[in-house]
Amino acid sequence: MAESIPSQPPDQQYSPEPNILERRAADYLKKQYPRARYPTQDCSNEEREALKRANNRAITWAAVAGILSGGIIGGMEWFMRQGMLDGMQDMTLMEQLPYWAGFSVVAGMVSLVEILFLYWNALRGVAKTSQVAGIPLQDSEHARLLLSGMSRVALELPSPRHCIYGIDPYAQMGRWKLAAISVMYRMKVGVSSFILRVLLRRVFGRMAMRGLLPLATGPLYAIWNAIITWRIMRKAKVQALGPYTIETLMHRLETDLDQLGDTAREVILQGMGEMIMRNQDAHPNHVYLLSRLLDAFDVSDRQLDIDWPSHQRQLGKLDEVETRWVLETLTIATVLSGKWRGRPRRFLQEVHEASGATFDEERIKTRRKQMLEGRNDS
């Protein structure tokens, strides 16, 4: 452990200085006044249906925006190609330039309106998801963490790039990959749509279909917008329902807390730190769970110095109850970010092997499905 320093609330650990967009999005979410409920209560059938409707509504409106934007831009391009430029066969490219410059300005304005609508639509969908799930966005330390996480999801912002309780989430990520991810996040909604459209024209540039391509832009834009919005709503659902899975875990952990020795507690915290680094992302659900574990274990020094290899060797020395809770906690942590394949899955498999336990992949899939359905079955 590092030298003890004053502890910060989990929301400050996650996002100490939210930017103006985050603050505006957070204000919007707070105005929705979602009702709070007991954290371990499962979603009812009506609530599950409401979550599906919120998801489908956001995706549908995003697709409609794509159809309208694509239809306007594609229609304008088709009119210029067929109705105007056919009468300009003798004009040079420089002579046609003013017409295409005007088209680019109008197309850019239409695209800007579309992008702004997509952000607003995503924020509205995230707000509805928060409301249905019953996330308490009132003023409390964990509520502010959830609010910050939901705001970032709606705005398609990456998790903050700084240490969480002394843990660097990107310690195992190369700088080139970190830079590439940063660029990709900024491309998701706006630039990615533009690049898609340019690539389509390059692909069909020498085909007879090129003349018909402007007419197909509406459906193409609709599909692209729907995919992006689906990803946003999926992340929002994971963040909205994750805390209830965490609270259920902590409620069950309380019954066996006295049976967990110092070594077992240290292994759990070290495992969480390694999981965050393997996941290569400071996911709000992981920050929430780590904060709750630090509270439950009454840890005063909140700056963790992660040295997993040395603690991994302690797994074989734990008793049955301690081993069960290490595996249970890290299994839940694996599914809390919404993705469990790749590096997080391999890490969990390593933990099982070091503990002498069977790695049951079907059980992970079941736990993930339960979380996304708002069920907290153990």
Side-chain angles (χ1 to χ4, degrees):
M1 294 283 186
E3 183 181 351
S4 179
I5 64 174
S7 175
Q8 286 184 313
D11 67 302
Q12 293 184 21
Q13 289 283 341
Y14 177 70
S15 184
E17 296 180 359
N19 60 41
I20 187 171
L21 288 177
E22 289 181 74
R23 293 197 295 271
R24 293 292 181 269
D27 289 341
Y28 178 83
L29 293 176
K30 290 176 70 173
K31 288 179 181 178
Q32 305 307 304
Y33 296 111
R35 58 165 178 49
R37 68 177 179 208
Y38 184 63
T40 57
Q41 176 182 329
D42 287 350
C43 288
S44 64
N45 291 331
E46 291 77 13
E47 288 168 332
R48 294 190 186 102
E49 289 300 318
L51 287 173
K52 290 180 181 179
R53 288 196 299 271
N55 181 81
N56 293 338
R57 186 180 298 115
I59 293 174
T60 299
W61 278 112
V64 169
I67 290 176
L68 293 176
S69 172
I72 294 172
I73 295 174
M76 289 173 54
E77 183 177 350
W78 181 86
F79 175 74
M80 289 189 65
R81 287 184 180 280
Q82 306 300 325
M84 296 178 63
L85 295 187
D86 279 351
M88 304 178 191
Q89 296 297 332
D90 297 331
M91 294 177 63
T92 65
L93 180 60
M94 291 300 297
E95 291 173 331
Q96 295 179 18
L97 186 60
Y99 296 94
W100 288 113
F103 166 78
S104 298
V105 170
V106 176
M109 293 178 61
V110 172
S111 296
L112 177 61
V113 172
E114 177 194 11
I115 291 170
L116 292 175
F117 174 81
L118 289 176
Y119 277 118
W120 176 81
N121 180 61
L123 185 60
R124 184 179 60 171
V126 169
K128 185 62 177 178
T129 299
S130 302
Q131 187 179 47
V132 174
I135 294 180
L137 298 183
Q138 291 76 22
D139 193 21
S140 69
E141 61 176 13
H142 290 109
R144 289 196 298 271
L145 167 64
L146 300 176
L147 182 62
S148 179
M150 296 299 283
S151 300
R152 283 178 170 268
V153 166
L155 297 173
E156 277 287 80
L157 295 175
S159 299
R161 295 194 174 95
H162 58 81
C163 292
I164 307 293
Y165 294 115
I167 303 166
D168 181 3
Y170 307 99
Q172 301 179 10
M173 180 185 291
R175 290 187 178 182
W176 68 269
K177 186 176 180 181
L178 190 59
I181 290 176
S182 178
V183 172
M184 289 174 64
Y185 259 100
R186 287 161 175 76
M187 290 172 55
K188 278 187 178 179
V189 175
V191 182
S192 58
S193 296
F194 173 77
I195 290 178
L196 172 70
R197 296 160 192 182
V198 172
L199 289 176
L200 285 171
R201 280 166 173 74
R202 294 287 295 177
V203 170
F204 294 107
R206 297 184 179 181
M207 297 175 59
M209 190 179 170
R210 179 179 175 85
L212 299 177
L213 184 59
L215 302 180
T217 53
L220 290 173
Y221 292 8
I223 293 172
W224 189 250
N225 288 352
I227 291 173
I228 293 175
T229 304
W230 176 85
R231 286 174 56 85
I232 292 175
M233 295 303 295
R234 182 76 167 186
K235 292 179 181 179
K237 190 175 182 180
V238 169
Q239 288 196 198
L241 298 176
Y244 298 108
T245 300
I246 293 171
E247 290 300 331
T248 299
L249 173 71
M250 299 308 300
H251 182 71
R252 291 167 45 222
L253 178 61
E254 289 178 1
T255 62
D256 290 335
L257 197 57
D258 293 339
Q259 301 183 52
L260 297 182
D262 292 340
T263 299
R265 298 183 183 201
E266 187 72 14
V267 169
I268 290 175
L269 294 177
Q270 288 282 323
M272 278 299 306
E274 183 71 11
M275 172 66 73
I276 290 173
M277 291 191 293
R278 293 286 185 100
N279 196 51
Q280 297 183 338
D281 179 53
H283 196 280
N285 284 343
H286 285 160
V287 180
Y288 188 118
L289 176 56
L290 184 56
S291 174
R292 294 289 286 113
L293 288 169
L294 290 168
D295 290 339
F297 297 160
D298 196 23
V299 178
S300 58
D301 183 357
R302 299 298 177 99
Q303 298 299 296
L304 303 177
D305 183 12
I306 304 302
D307 180 15
W308 176 246
S310 64
H311 289 81
Q312 185 179 18
R313 291 191 289 269
Q314 302 296 321
L315 285 169
K317 302 177 183 179
L318 303 179
D319 63 30
E320 182 179 351
V321 173
E322 292 174 329
T323 300
R324 175 166 57 84
W325 275 112
V326 169
L327 296 177
E328 176 68 3
T329 303
L330 296 182
T331 296
I332 293 297
T334 302
V335 302
L336 280 177
S337 65
K339 56 183 180 181
W340 59 273
R341 296 185 184 277
R343 292 166 60 90
R345 176 190 176 278
R346 288 194 295 271
F347 170 65
L348 188 61
Q349 188 172 15
E350 292 172 12
V351 173
H352 277 76
E353 291 174 354
S355 303
T358 301
F359 179 66
D360 188 353
E361 192 164 335
E362 290 301 318
R363 183 169 179 267
I364 300 177
K365 294 179 181 179
T366 300
R367 300 302 289 270
R368 180 171 178 268
K369 181 180 179 181
Q370 288 174 348
M371 182 187 71
L372 292 175
E373 291 179 350
R375 295 189 290 114
N376 294 306
D377 302 339
S378 58

